[in-house]
Amino acid sequence: MREKKTIIHEVGLRLETIQNNLGYTQEQMAEMMDVSKEQYRKYLKGISEIPSHKLTILLEQQDFDVKYLLTGKSAEEEKTFSEHLSTMSKEGRTQYIRDIIDYMEQKVIKLF
């Protein structure tokens, strides 16, 4: 299990990525979240955890991928993977899973 401090730090890094992708300054993001610029910087640096109500306030003003912010996994990427699997035949999916298992077994064997 990852430490809370690590997760908070990673969320801060992703918040900065989202900010840059949206084209906003730190001041603009702080204003949208109704926090001081200093507090916003603490979020970015992982010093402070972002309260859920502040994320809700931001999301009400600007649409962004919340799943990416919280987990680092894009909702779109997962959708694409699911769509890819759904296009495979049953035999194709079975072979795909077997290939993954074989690959993982090889990696585990190399570790030992």
Side-chain angles (χ1 to χ4, degrees):
M1 183 196 267
R2 295 183 310 142
E3 292 185 24
K4 181 178 179 179
K5 183 178 180 180
T6 301
I7 294 170
I8 293 169
H9 176 73
E10 290 171 353
V11 168
L13 294 174
R14 289 190 292 268
L15 179 62
E16 186 170 31
T17 299
I18 289 169
Q19 170 199 318
N20 292 333
N21 289 344
L22 294 173
Y24 290 116
T25 65
Q26 289 182 1
E27 293 81 8
Q28 291 169 317
M29 292 289 282
E31 186 177 316
M32 282 190 280
M33 293 176 77
D34 193 28
V35 297
S36 68
K37 189 167 95 172
E38 293 77 27
Q39 183 60 49
Y40 181 75
R41 285 186 180 148
K42 288 180 181 180
Y43 296 153
L44 294 180
K45 292 180 180 180
I47 296 169
S48 295
E49 184 173 1
I50 306 169
S52 59
H53 71 280
K54 293 299 181 182
L55 290 177
T56 302
I57 289 170
L58 180 60
L59 189 56
E60 288 173 345
Q61 298 178 60
Q62 185 62 52
D63 189 33
F64 61 94
D65 189 344
V66 178
K67 183 169 187 165
Y68 168 74
L69 176 66
L70 298 177
T71 67
K73 298 175 184 174
S74 168
E76 188 60 36
E77 288 173 348
E78 288 189 7
K79 179 180 176 187
T80 302
F81 180 72
S82 295
E83 289 173 351
H84 175 69
L85 285 178
S86 69
T87 63
M88 293 179 172
S89 67
K90 183 177 179 181
E91 295 80 17
R93 284 191 300 273
T94 301
Q95 185 59 51
Y96 181 74
I97 292 169
R98 284 185 183 139
D99 291 344
I100 291 172
I101 292 169
D102 289 343
Y103 174 79
M104 295 307 292
E105 284 177 345
Q106 291 172 7
K107 291 293 183 183
V108 171
I109 290 170
K110 287 182 182 178
L111 291 174
F112 296 101

